[in-house]
Amino acid sequence: MLKTTKIHNGFDIGTNKTKGVKAYSTADGEVVFRGGVSGYGNTVIIYHQTLNLYSLYGHLASFEIGPEKIINEGPEQLKYGAMISKGDQIGIVGNTGGTYPIHLHFELLNA
C-alpha cells in the first residue's frame, strides 16, 4: 500500500471509502496491546485464548469502540486487559504508520 510491492505477513484489506470504516474483532479475546507500532501505526493486538492465537489490527485511524466513544478520552477506553467479544468494534480503519491508501492490516500470530 506504499505504491510499491512489499511482501509482508498478514493481509491488507482495502476500502473504497475515505473514512469511517469500522474494524471489528474476529473472535473473543483480551486486548494485550493498544498503541503505536513502527510500520503499523495505531495498532490493537488481541489474544484469543480458545484459539491460542493473537490477532493484530494495524493502521487504525482511531481506537473507537462504539458510537461516539473515542478511547483516547474518558473512562470508556479500550485498554490492556479489556475483554472483547467477536464482532466488537475495536477501531476505525486508517492509514497511520506511513501507508497509503486507507486500509486495515490484519494478521494472525502464534501464541
Side-chain angles (χ1 to χ4, degrees), residues 68-103:
E68 310 305 320
K69 289 186 193 173
I70 304 293
I71 64 172
N72 295 332
E73 304 170 357
E76 300 295 329
Q77 294 186 26
L78 180 63
K79 59 186 174 186
Y80 182 84
M83 299 308 293
I84 300 295
S85 295
K86 177 181 178 179
D88 281 354
Q89 183 180 336
I90 56 160
I92 299 293
V93 176
N95 62 343
T96 59
T99 63
Y100 182 82
I102 292 172
H103 70 283

Side-chain angles (χ1 to χ4, degrees), residues 9-92:
N9 293 327
F11 298 92
D12 290 327
I13 303 166
T15 174
N16 60 358
K17 294 186 178 183
T18 57
K19 62 180 179 177
V21 176
K22 299 172 183 176
Y24 300 95
S25 175
T26 56
D28 296 349
E30 179 180 358
V31 174
V32 296
F33 181 83
R34 178 201 73 111
V37 175
S38 179
Y40 292 111
N42 293 334
T43 300
V44 171
I45 300 175
I46 299 172
Y47 175 63
H48 308 285
Q49 185 175 9
T50 58
L51 303 172
N52 198 32
L53 290 172
Y54 294 92
S55 57
L56 180 149
Y57 308 81
H59 308 308
L60 297 172
S62 69
F63 301 105
E64 187 174 318
I65 58 173
E68 310 305 320
K69 289 186 193 173
I70 304 293
I71 64 172
N72 295 332
E73 304 170 357
E76 300 295 329
Q77 294 186 26
L78 180 63
K79 59 186 174 186
Y80 182 84
M83 299 308 293
I84 300 295
S85 295
K86 177 181 178 179
D88 281 354
Q89 183 180 336
I90 56 160
I92 299 293

